[in-house]
């Protein structure tokens, strides 16, 4: 079993920065992609950013140039640095990884951007 626990969500004003972190624990073998998704009320869960084992990244257009994803494969941890946050970034952010063809999700952390 693999466990993902996100942290770092908060209520912040527009323009602020936050860093989300997500360490993975449990029986972990050959983690492939790690990433972050988000889900706002009445919306579907959407991709924010993903990072491959070799460090290749992919971002949603709405966060490109503002968010940065990084990982430490030795520590099985992924981070999401979020700068210049906007009200439309308000959502529950979920950590995600794929290991041996199985997808795992964290429980989510709330990010609220409001003045």
């Amino acid at each position: 079993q693999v466990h993902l626990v996100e942290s770092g969500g908060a209520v912040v004003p527009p323009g602020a920065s936050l860093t989300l972190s997500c360490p993975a624990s449990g029986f972990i073998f050959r983690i492939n992609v790690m990433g972050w998704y988000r889900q706002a009320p009445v919306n579907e869960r959407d991709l924010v950013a993903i990072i491959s084992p070799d460090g290749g990244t992919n971002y949603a257009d709405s966060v490109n140039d503002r968010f940065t994803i990084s990982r430490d494969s030795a520590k099985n941890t992924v981070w999401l640095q979020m700068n210049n946050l906007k009200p439309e970034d308000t959502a529950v952010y979920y950590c995600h990884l794929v290991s041996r063809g199985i997808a795992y999700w964290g429980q989510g952390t709330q990010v609220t951007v409001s003045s």
Side-chain angles (χ1 to χ4, degrees), residues 19-22 36 68-72 77-81:
T19 299
L20 306 182
S21 66
C22 178
W36 292 91
T68 303
I69 189 171
S70 59
R71 67 187 282 175
D72 184 331
T77 300
V78 63
W79 295 271
L80 185 68
Q81 171 68 41

Side-chain angles (χ1 to χ4, degrees), residues 92-105:
V92 178
Y93 284 71
Y94 295 91
C95 178
H96 170 265
L97 69 81
V98 177
S99 175
R100 303 181 71 180
I102 300 173
Y104 297 92
W105 295 91

Side-chain angles (χ1 to χ4, degrees), residues 5-63:
V5 181
E6 303 96 335
S7 64
V11 180
V12 296
S17 297
L18 280 176
T19 299
L20 306 182
S21 66
C22 178
S25 62
F27 184 71
I28 300 171
F29 181 74
R30 287 188 180 177
I31 293 179
N32 191 352
V33 172
M34 301 184 78
W36 292 91
Y37 288 70
R38 67 186 180 186
Q39 186 168 16
V42 306
N43 287 355
E44 296 182 349
R45 190 172 297 186
D46 295 323
L47 171 70
V48 176
I50 55 174
I51 183 167
S52 63
D54 64 2
T57 58
N58 189 31
Y59 295 91
D61 290 341
S62 60
V63 307

